Amino acid sequence: MSEFKVDKNVPMPATRAAGRHAIFPWRVMEIGDSFFVTPDQTPLKYVSRRAWQAFKLTGCRFMTRAVDGGVRVWRIE
């Protein structure tokens, strides 16, 4: 006999990310909005990778550019 109790009728969470706190403001940005990230906040290579993942999830396009002191991210579509 298993040591785990089987539960019935427990709803599955809507998405894998349910309950996670968003690090970047992808979903609230409008076209032309931008935000700035410094290396002490997060690794700069991570930002462009997350922008690509945000595009795949939201369909909104983002552009990243290295600027003095960090990276700036714009929503372009």
Side-chain angles (χ1 to χ4, degrees):
M1 181 139 194
S2 175
E3 63 184 86
F4 298 102
K5 179 181 176 252
V6 175
D7 297 319
K8 297 186 184 287
N9 300 319
V10 176
M12 184 182 304
T15 64
R16 177 180 63 119
R20 294 170 95 190
H21 182 286
I23 296 172
F24 301 115
W26 309 117
R27 295 186 186 272
V28 298
M29 293 177 73
E30 296 178 5
I31 295 172
D33 290 352
S34 68
F35 64 92
F36 182 73
V37 180
T38 61
D40 58 316
Q41 291 173 311
T42 190
L44 299 180
K45 288 184 178 182
Y46 178 75
V47 178
S48 60
R49 184 174 20 167
R50 292 295 296 151
W52 175 249
Q53 291 171 341
F55 165 68
K56 292 193 300 185
L57 288 172
T58 67
C60 301
R61 292 188 60 208
F62 300 92
M63 182 69 64
T64 60
R65 290 287 186 260
V67 294
D68 289 338
V71 170
R72 183 160 291 277
V73 181
W74 289 267
R75 177 172 169 199
I76 58 172
E77 279 184 22

Coordinates of all heavy atoms in Angstrom, one line a residue:
M1 N 0.8 -1.2 0.0 CA 0.0 0.0 0.0 C 0.9 1.2 0.0 O 1.9 1.3 0.7 CB -0.9 0.0 1.2 CG -1.8 1.1 1.3 SD -3.4 0.5 1.9 CE -4.4 1.8 1.6
S2 N 0.5 2.3 -0.7 CA 1.3 3.5 -0.9 C 1.1 4.3 0.4 O 0.1 4.4 1.1 CB 0.8 4.3 -2.1 OG 1.4 5.5 -2.1
E3 N 2.2 5.1 0.7 CA 2.2 6.0 1.9 C 1.5 7.3 1.5 O 1.4 8.2 2.4 CB 3.6 6.2 2.4 CG 4.5 6.9 1.4 CD 5.9 7.0 1.9 OE1 6.7 6.0 1.7 OE2 6.2 8.0 2.5
F4 N 1.2 7.5 0.2 CA 0.6 8.8 -0.2 C -0.9 8.7 -0.3 O -1.4 7.7 -0.9 CB 1.2 9.2 -1.6 CG 2.7 9.4 -1.6 CD1 3.5 8.4 -2.1 CD2 3.2 10.6 -1.1 CE1 4.9 8.6 -2.1 CE2 4.5 10.8 -1.0 CZ 5.4 9.8 -1.5
K5 N -1.6 9.7 0.2 CA -3.0 9.7 0.2 C -3.5 10.3 -1.2 O -3.0 11.3 -1.6 CB -3.6 10.6 1.3 CG -5.1 10.7 1.3 CD -5.5 11.7 2.5 CE -7.0 11.8 2.4 NZ -7.4 13.1 1.9
V6 N -4.4 9.6 -1.8 CA -4.9 10.1 -3.1 C -6.1 11.0 -2.8 O -7.1 10.7 -2.1 CB -5.4 8.9 -4.0 CG1 -6.0 9.4 -5.2 CG2 -4.2 8.0 -4.3
D7 N -6.1 12.2 -3.4 CA -7.2 13.2 -3.3 C -7.9 13.2 -4.6 O -7.4 13.1 -5.7 CB -6.6 14.6 -3.0 CG -5.9 14.6 -1.7 OD1 -6.4 14.0 -0.7 OD2 -4.8 15.3 -1.6
K8 N -9.2 13.5 -4.5 CA -10.1 13.6 -5.7 C -10.6 15.0 -5.8 O -10.8 15.7 -4.8 CB -11.2 12.6 -5.6 CG -10.7 11.1 -5.6 CD -11.9 10.2 -5.6 CE -11.4 8.7 -5.5 NZ -10.7 8.2 -6.7
N9 N -10.9 15.4 -7.0 CA -11.5 16.7 -7.3 C -10.7 17.9 -6.8 O -11.3 18.9 -6.4 CB -12.9 16.8 -6.8 CG -13.8 15.7 -7.4 OD1 -13.7 15.4 -8.6 ND2 -14.6 15.0 -6.6
V10 N -9.4 17.8 -6.9 CA -8.5 19.0 -6.6 C -8.2 19.7 -7.9 O -7.6 19.1 -8.8 CB -7.2 18.5 -5.9 CG1 -6.3 19.7 -5.6 CG2 -7.6 17.8 -4.6
P11 N -8.6 21.0 -8.1 CA -8.4 21.6 -9.3 C -6.9 21.9 -9.6 O -6.2 22.2 -8.7 CB -9.2 22.9 -9.2 CG -9.3 23.2 -7.8 CD -9.3 21.8 -7.1
M12 N -6.5 21.8 -10.9 CA -5.2 22.0 -11.3 C -5.0 23.6 -11.5 O -5.9 24.2 -12.0 CB -4.9 21.3 -12.6 CG -3.4 21.5 -13.0 SD -3.1 20.7 -14.6 CE -3.6 19.0 -14.3
P13 N -3.8 24.1 -11.1 CA -3.6 25.5 -11.3 C -3.7 25.9 -12.8 O -3.4 25.0 -13.7 CB -2.2 25.8 -10.8 CG -2.0 24.6 -9.8 CD -2.7 23.5 -10.4
A14 N -4.1 27.1 -13.1 CA -4.3 27.5 -14.5 C -3.0 27.4 -15.4 O -3.1 27.0 -16.5 CB -4.9 28.9 -14.6
T15 N -1.9 27.9 -14.9 CA -0.7 27.8 -15.6 C 0.5 27.4 -14.7 O 0.4 27.4 -13.5 CB -0.3 29.2 -16.2 OG1 -0.1 30.1 -15.1 CG2 -1.4 29.8 -17.1
R16 N 1.6 27.1 -15.4 CA 2.8 26.7 -14.7 C 3.3 27.8 -13.8 O 3.9 27.6 -12.8 CB 3.8 26.2 -15.7 CG 5.1 25.8 -15.1 CD 6.1 25.5 -16.2 NE 6.3 26.6 -17.1 CZ 7.5 27.1 -17.3 NH1 8.6 26.6 -16.7 NH2 7.7 28.1 -18.0
A17 N 3.1 29.1 -14.3 CA 3.6 30.2 -13.6 C 2.7 30.8 -12.5 O 2.9 31.9 -12.0 CB 4.0 31.3 -14.6
A18 N 1.6 30.2 -12.3 CA 0.6 30.7 -11.3 C 1.2 30.9 -10.0 O 1.9 30.0 -9.5 CB -0.6 29.8 -11.2
G19 N 1.1 32.1 -9.4 CA 1.6 32.4 -8.1 C 3.0 32.9 -8.1 O 3.5 33.3 -7.1
R20 N 3.7 32.9 -9.3 CA 5.0 33.4 -9.4 C 5.0 34.9 -9.5 O 4.2 35.5 -10.2 CB 5.8 32.8 -10.5 CG 6.0 31.3 -10.4 CD 6.5 30.8 -11.7 NE 7.9 30.7 -11.7 CZ 8.6 30.4 -12.7 NH1 8.1 30.2 -13.9 NH2 9.9 30.3 -12.7
H21 N 6.0 35.6 -8.9 CA 6.1 37.0 -9.0 C 6.9 37.4 -10.3 O 8.0 36.8 -10.5 CB 6.8 37.6 -7.8 CG 6.9 39.0 -7.8 ND1 7.8 39.7 -8.6 CD2 6.3 40.0 -7.1 CE1 7.7 41.0 -8.4 NE2 6.8 41.2 -7.5
A22 N 6.4 38.2 -11.1 CA 7.1 38.6 -12.3 C 8.2 39.6 -12.0 O 8.1 40.5 -11.2 CB 6.1 39.4 -13.3
I23 N 9.4 39.3 -12.6 CA 10.6 40.1 -12.3 C 10.5 41.3 -13.2 O 10.8 42.5 -12.7 CB 11.8 39.3 -12.6 CG1 12.0 38.1 -11.7 CG2 13.1 40.2 -12.5 CD1 13.1 37.2 -12.0
F24 N 10.1 41.2 -14.4 CA 10.1 42.3 -15.4 C 8.6 42.6 -15.7 O 7.8 41.8 -15.7 CB 10.9 42.0 -16.7 CG 12.3 41.6 -16.4 CD1 12.8 40.4 -16.7 CD2 13.2 42.6 -15.9 CE1 14.1 40.0 -16.4 CE2 14.5 42.3 -15.7 CZ 15.0 41.0 -15.9
P25 N 8.3 43.9 -16.1 CA 7.0 44.3 -16.3 C 6.4 44.1 -17.7 O 5.8 45.0 -18.3 CB 7.0 45.8 -15.9 CG 8.4 46.2 -16.4 CD 9.3 45.0 -16.1
W26 N 6.6 43.0 -18.3 CA 6.3 42.7 -19.7 C 4.8 43.0 -19.9 O 4.4 43.6 -20.9 CB 6.6 41.3 -20.1 CG 7.9 40.8 -19.8 CD1 8.3 39.8 -18.9 CD2 9.2 41.3 -20.3 NE1 9.6 39.6 -18.9 CE2 10.2 40.5 -19.7 CE3 9.5 42.3 -21.2 CZ2 11.5 40.7 -20.1 CZ3 10.8 42.5 -21.5 CH2 11.8 41.7 -20.9
R27 N 3.9 42.5 -19.1 CA 2.5 42.5 -19.4 C 1.8 43.9 -19.2 O 0.8 44.1 -19.7 CB 1.7 41.5 -18.5 CG 2.1 40.1 -18.9 CD 1.3 39.0 -18.2 NE 1.8 37.7 -18.4 CZ 1.4 36.9 -19.4 NH1 0.5 37.4 -20.3 NH2 1.9 35.7 -19.6
V28 N 2.5 44.8 -18.4 CA 1.9 46.1 -18.2 C 2.5 47.2 -19.1 O 2.0 48.3 -19.1 CB 2.1 46.6 -16.7 CG1 1.4 45.6 -15.8 CG2 3.5 46.7 -16.4
M29 N 3.4 46.8 -19.9 CA 4.1 47.8 -20.8 C 3.2 48.1 -22.1 O 2.6 47.1 -22.6 CB 5.5 47.3 -21.3 CG 6.5 47.3 -20.1 SD 8.1 46.7 -20.7 CE 8.7 48.1 -21.6
E30 N 3.2 49.3 -22.5 CA 2.5 49.7 -23.7 C 3.6 50.0 -24.8 O 4.8 50.2 -24.4 CB 1.6 50.9 -23.5 CG 0.5 50.6 -22.6 CD -0.4 51.8 -22.3 OE1 -0.2 52.9 -22.9 OE2 -1.3 51.7 -21.4
I31 N 3.3 50.1 -26.0 CA 4.2 50.4 -27.1 C 4.9 51.7 -26.8 O 4.3 52.7 -26.5 CB 3.6 50.4 -28.5 CG1 3.0 49.0 -28.8 CG2 4.5 50.9 -29.5 CD1 2.2 48.9 -30.0
G32 N 6.3 51.7 -26.8 CA 7.0 52.9 -26.5 C 7.5 53.0 -25.1 O 8.4 53.8 -24.8
D33 N 7.0 52.2 -24.2 CA 7.5 52.2 -22.8 C 8.8 51.4 -22.8 O 9.1 50.6 -23.6 CB 6.5 51.4 -21.9 CG 5.2 52.2 -21.7 OD1 5.1 53.3 -22.1 OD2 4.2 51.6 -21.1
S34 N 9.6 51.8 -21.7 CA 10.9 51.1 -21.6 C 11.2 51.0 -20.1 O 10.6 51.7 -19.2 CB 12.0 51.8 -22.3 OG 12.2 53.1 -21.7
F35 N 12.1 50.1 -19.8 CA 12.7 50.0 -18.4 C 14.2 49.8 -18.5 O 14.7 49.3 -19.5 CB 11.9 49.0 -17.5 CG 12.1 47.6 -18.0 CD1 13.1 46.8 -17.5 CD2 11.2 47.1 -18.9 CE1 13.2 45.5 -17.9 CE2 11.3 45.7 -19.3 CZ 12.3 44.9 -18.8
F36 N 14.9 50.1 -17.4 CA 16.3 50.0 -17.3 C 16.7 49.0 -16.3 O 16.1 48.9 -15.2 CB 16.9 51.4 -16.9 CG 18.4 51.4 -16.9 CD1 19.1 51.4 -18.0 CD2 19.0 51.5 -15.6 CE1 20.5 51.5 -18.0 CE2 20.4 51.5 -15.6 CZ 21.1 51.5 -16.7
V37 N 17.7 48.2 -16.7 CA 18.2 47.1 -15.8 C 19.7 47.3 -15.6 O 20.5 47.5 -16.6 CB 18.0 45.7 -16.4 CG1 18.5 44.6 -15.5 CG2 16.5 45.5 -16.7
T38 N 20.2 47.2 -14.4 CA 21.6 47.3 -14.1 C 22.2 46.0 -13.8 O 21.5 45.0 -13.5 CB 21.9 48.2 -12.9 OG1 21.3 47.7 -11.7 CG2 21.4 49.6 -13.1
P39 N 23.5 45.8 -14.0 CA 24.1 44.5 -13.8 C 24.0 43.9 -12.3 O 23.9 42.7 -12.1 CB 25.6 44.7 -14.1 CG 25.7 45.9 -14.9 CD 24.5 46.7 -14.5
D40 N 23.8 44.8 -11.4 CA 23.6 44.3 -10.0 C 22.2 43.9 -9.7 O 22.0 43.2 -8.8 CB 24.1 45.4 -9.0 CG 23.3 46.7 -9.1 OD1 23.2 47.2 -10.3 OD2 23.0 47.3 -8.1
Q41 N 21.3 44.2 -10.6 CA 19.9 43.8 -10.5 C 19.7 42.3 -11.0 O 19.0 41.5 -10.4 CB 18.9 44.7 -11.2 CG 18.8 46.0 -10.5 CD 17.9 47.0 -11.4 OE1 18.1 47.1 -12.6 NE2 17.0 47.6 -10.7
T42 N 20.3 42.1 -12.2 CA 20.2 40.8 -12.8 C 21.3 40.7 -13.9 O 21.7 41.8 -14.4 CB 18.8 40.5 -13.4 OG1 18.7 39.2 -13.8 CG2 18.5 41.5 -14.6
P43 N 21.8 39.5 -14.2 CA 22.8 39.4 -15.3 C 22.2 40.0 -16.6 O 21.1 39.7 -17.0 CB 23.1 38.0 -15.4 CG 22.7 37.4 -14.1 CD 21.5 38.3 -13.6
L44 N 23.0 40.8 -17.3 CA 22.5 41.5 -18.5 C 22.1 40.6 -19.6 O 21.2 40.8 -20.4 CB 23.5 42.6 -18.9 CG 23.7 43.7 -17.9 CD1 24.7 44.7 -18.4 CD2 22.4 44.3 -17.4
K45 N 22.8 39.5 -19.8 CA 22.5 38.5 -20.9 C 21.1 37.9 -20.6 O 20.4 37.5 -21.5 CB 23.5 37.4 -21.0 CG 24.8 37.9 -21.6 CD 25.8 36.8 -21.8 CE 27.0 37.3 -22.5 NZ 28.0 36.2 -22.7
Y46 N 20.8 37.8 -19.3 CA 19.5 37.2 -18.9 C 18.3 38.0 -19.4 O 17.3 37.5 -19.8 CB 19.5 37.1 -17.4 CG 18.2 36.6 -16.8 CD1 17.9 35.2 -16.8 CD2 17.3 37.4 -16.1 CE1 16.7 34.7 -16.2 CE2 16.2 36.9 -15.5 CZ 15.9 35.6 -15.6 OH 14.8 35.1 -15.0
V47 N 18.5 39.4 -19.5 CA 17.4 40.3 -19.9 C 17.0 40.0 -21.3 O 15.8 39.9 -21.6 CB 17.9 41.7 -19.7 CG1 16.8 42.7 -20.1 CG2 18.3 42.0 -18.3
S48 N 17.9 39.9 -22.3 CA 17.5 39.7 -23.6 C 16.8 38.3 -23.8 O 15.9 38.2 -24.6 CB 18.7 39.9 -24.6 OG 19.7 38.9 -24.3
R49 N 17.3 37.3 -23.1 CA 16.7 36.0 -23.2 C 15.2 36.1 -22.6 O 14.3 35.5 -23.2 CB 17.5 35.0 -22.4 CG 17.0 33.6 -22.5 CD 17.9 32.6 -21.8 NE 18.8 33.3 -20.8 CZ 19.5 32.6 -19.9 NH1 19.5 31.4 -19.9 NH2 20.3 33.3 -19.1
R50 N 15.0 36.8 -21.5 CA 13.7 36.9 -21.0 C 12.8 37.7 -21.9 O 11.6 37.5 -22.0 CB 13.7 37.6 -19.6 CG 14.4 36.7 -18.5 CD 13.6 35.4 -18.2 NE 12.3 35.8 -17.7 CZ 11.2 35.1 -17.8 NH1 11.2 34.0 -18.4 NH2 10.1 35.5 -17.3
A51 N 13.4 38.7 -22.6 CA 12.6 39.5 -23.6 C 12.0 38.6 -24.7 O 10.9 38.7 -25.1 CB 13.4 40.6 -24.2
W52 N 12.9 37.6 -25.1 CA 12.5 36.7 -26.2 C 11.4 35.7 -25.6 O 10.4 35.5 -26.3 CB 13.6 35.9 -26.7 CG 13.3 34.8 -27.6 CD1 13.3 33.4 -27.4 CD2 12.7 34.9 -28.9 NE1 12.8 32.8 -28.5 CE2 12.5 33.7 -29.5 CE3 12.5 36.0 -29.7 CZ2 12.0 33.5 -30.7 CZ3 11.9 35.8 -31.0 CH2 11.7 34.6 -31.5
Q53 N 11.5 35.3 -24.4 CA 10.5 34.4 -23.8 C 9.2 35.2 -23.6 O 8.1 34.7 -23.8 CB 11.0 33.9 -22.5 CG 12.1 32.9 -22.6 CD 12.7 32.5 -21.3 OE1 12.6 33.2 -20.3 NE2 13.4 31.4 -21.3
A54 N 9.3 36.5 -23.2 CA 8.1 37.3 -23.1 C 7.4 37.5 -24.4 O 6.1 37.5 -24.5 CB 8.5 38.7 -22.5
F55 N 8.1 37.6 -25.5 CA 7.5 37.7 -26.8 C 6.7 36.4 -27.1 O 5.6 36.4 -27.6 CB 8.6 37.9 -27.9 CG 8.1 37.6 -29.3 CD1 7.1 38.4 -29.9 CD2 8.6 36.5 -30.0 CE1 6.7 38.1 -31.2 CE2 8.2 36.2 -31.3 CZ 7.2 37.1 -31.9
K56 N 7.3 35.2 -26.8 CA 6.7 34.0 -27.1 C 5.4 33.8 -26.2 O 4.4 33.2 -26.7 CB 7.6 32.8 -26.9 CG 8.7 32.8 -27.9 CD 9.5 31.5 -27.9 CE 10.2 31.2 -26.6 NZ 11.1 30.0 -26.6
L57 N 5.4 34.3 -25.0 CA 4.2 34.2 -24.1 C 3.1 35.2 -24.4 O 2.0 34.9 -24.4 CB 4.7 34.4 -22.7 CG 5.4 33.2 -22.1 CD1 6.0 33.6 -20.7 CD2 4.6 32.0 -22.0
T58 N 3.5 36.5 -24.7 CA 2.6 37.6 -24.9 C 2.3 38.0 -26.3 O 1.3 38.6 -26.6 CB 3.1 38.8 -24.1 OG1 4.2 39.3 -24.8 CG2 3.3 38.5 -22.7
G59 N 3.2 37.7 -27.2 CA 3.1 38.1 -28.6 C 3.5 39.6 -28.8 O 3.5 40.1 -29.9
C60 N 3.9 40.2 -27.7 CA 4.4 41.6 -27.8 C 5.9 41.6 -28.1 O 6.6 40.8 -27.5 CB 4.2 42.3 -26.5 SG 2.5 42.4 -26.0
R61 N 6.4 42.5 -28.9 CA 7.8 42.5 -29.3 C 8.6 43.5 -28.4 O 8.1 44.6 -28.2 CB 8.0 42.8 -30.7 CG 7.5 41.7 -31.6 CD 7.8 41.9 -33.1 NE 9.3 41.9 -33.2 CZ 9.9 42.6 -34.2 NH1 9.1 43.2 -35.1 NH2 11.2 42.6 -34.3
F62 N 9.8 43.1 -28.0 CA 10.6 43.9 -27.1 C 12.0 44.0 -27.8 O 12.5 43.1 -28.4 CB 10.7 43.3 -25.7 CG 9.4 43.2 -25.0 CD1 8.7 42.0 -25.1 CD2 8.9 44.2 -24.3 CE1 7.5 41.9 -24.5 CE2 7.7 44.1 -23.7 CZ 6.9 42.9 -23.8
M63 N 12.7 45.1 -27.5 CA 14.0 45.4 -28.1 C 14.9 45.7 -26.9 O 14.5 46.5 -26.0 CB 14.0 46.5 -29.1 CG 15.3 46.8 -29.7 SD 15.9 45.5 -30.8 CE 14.6 45.6 -32.1
T64 N 16.1 45.1 -26.8 CA 17.0 45.4 -25.8 C 18.3 46.1 -26.4 O 18.7 45.7 -27.5 CB 17.5 44.2 -25.0 OG1 18.1 43.2 -25.9 CG2 16.3 43.5 -24.3
R65 N 18.8 47.1 -25.7 CA 20.0 47.7 -26.1 C 20.9 48.0 -24.9 O 20.4 48.5 -23.8 CB 19.7 49.1 -26.8 CG 19.0 49.0 -28.1 CD 20.1 48.5 -29.2 NE 19.5 48.5 -30.5 CZ 19.0 47.4 -31.1 NH1 19.1 46.2 -30.5 NH2 18.6 47.5 -32.3
A66 N 22.2 47.8 -25.1 CA 23.2 48.1 -24.0 C 23.3 49.7 -24.0 O 23.5 50.3 -25.1 CB 24.5 47.5 -24.3
V67 N 23.2 50.3 -22.8 CA 23.4 51.7 -22.7 C 24.3 51.9 -21.5 O 24.7 50.9 -20.8 CB 22.0 52.4 -22.4 CG1 21.1 52.3 -23.6 CG2 21.3 51.8 -21.2
D68 N 24.8 53.1 -21.2 CA 25.7 53.4 -20.1 C 25.1 52.8 -18.8 O 24.0 53.2 -18.4 CB 26.0 54.9 -20.0 CG 26.8 55.4 -21.1 OD1 27.5 54.6 -21.8 OD2 26.8 56.6 -21.4
G69 N 25.8 51.9 -18.2 CA 25.4 51.4 -16.9 C 24.5 50.2 -16.9 O 24.2 49.7 -15.8
G70 N 24.1 49.7 -18.1 CA 23.2 48.6 -18.1 C 22.5 48.3 -19.4 O 23.1 48.5 -20.5
V71 N 21.3 47.9 -19.3 CA 20.5 47.5 -20.5 C 19.1 48.2 -20.4 O 18.5 48.2 -19.3 CB 20.3 46.0 -20.6 CG1 19.3 45.6 -21.7 CG2 21.6 45.3 -20.9
R72 N 18.7 48.8 -21.5 CA 17.3 49.3 -21.6 C 16.5 48.4 -22.5 O 16.9 48.0 -23.5 CB 17.3 50.8 -22.1 CG 15.9 51.4 -22.0 CD 15.9 52.9 -22.0 NE 16.4 53.4 -20.8 CZ 15.7 53.6 -19.7 NH1 14.4 53.3 -19.7 NH2 16.2 54.2 -18.7
V73 N 15.2 48.2 -22.1 CA 14.3 47.3 -22.8 C 13.1 48.2 -23.2 O 12.5 48.8 -22.4 CB 13.8 46.1 -22.0 CG1 12.9 45.3 -22.7 CG2 15.0 45.4 -21.4
W74 N 12.8 48.1 -24.5 CA 11.6 48.9 -25.0 C 10.6 47.9 -25.5 O 10.9 46.8 -26.1 CB 12.0 49.7 -26.2 CG 12.8 50.9 -25.9 CD1 12.3 52.2 -25.6 CD2 14.2 51.0 -25.8 NE1 13.3 53.1 -25.4 CE2 14.5 52.4 -25.5 CE3 15.2 50.1 -26.0 CZ2 15.8 52.8 -25.4 CZ3 16.5 50.6 -25.8 CH2 16.8 51.9 -25.5
R75 N 9.3 48.2 -25.4 CA 8.3 47.4 -26.1 C 8.1 48.1 -27.4 O 7.8 49.3 -27.5 CB 6.9 47.4 -25.3 CG 5.9 46.7 -26.1 CD 4.6 46.4 -25.4 NE 3.7 45.9 -26.4 CZ 2.4 45.9 -26.2 NH1 1.9 46.3 -25.1 NH2 1.6 45.5 -27.2
I76 N 8.2 47.4 -28.5 CA 8.1 48.0 -29.8 C 6.9 47.6 -30.6 O 6.6 48.3 -31.6 CB 9.4 47.7 -30.7 CG1 9.6 46.2 -30.8 CG2 10.6 48.4 -30.0 CD1 10.7 45.9 -31.8
E77 N 6.2 46.6 -30.2 CA 4.9 46.2 -30.9 C 4.0 45.6 -29.9 O 4.4 44.9 -29.0 CB 5.2 45.1 -32.0 CG 5.7 45.7 -33.3 CD 5.8 44.6 -34.3 OE1 5.2 43.5 -34.2 OE2 6.5 44.8 -35.3

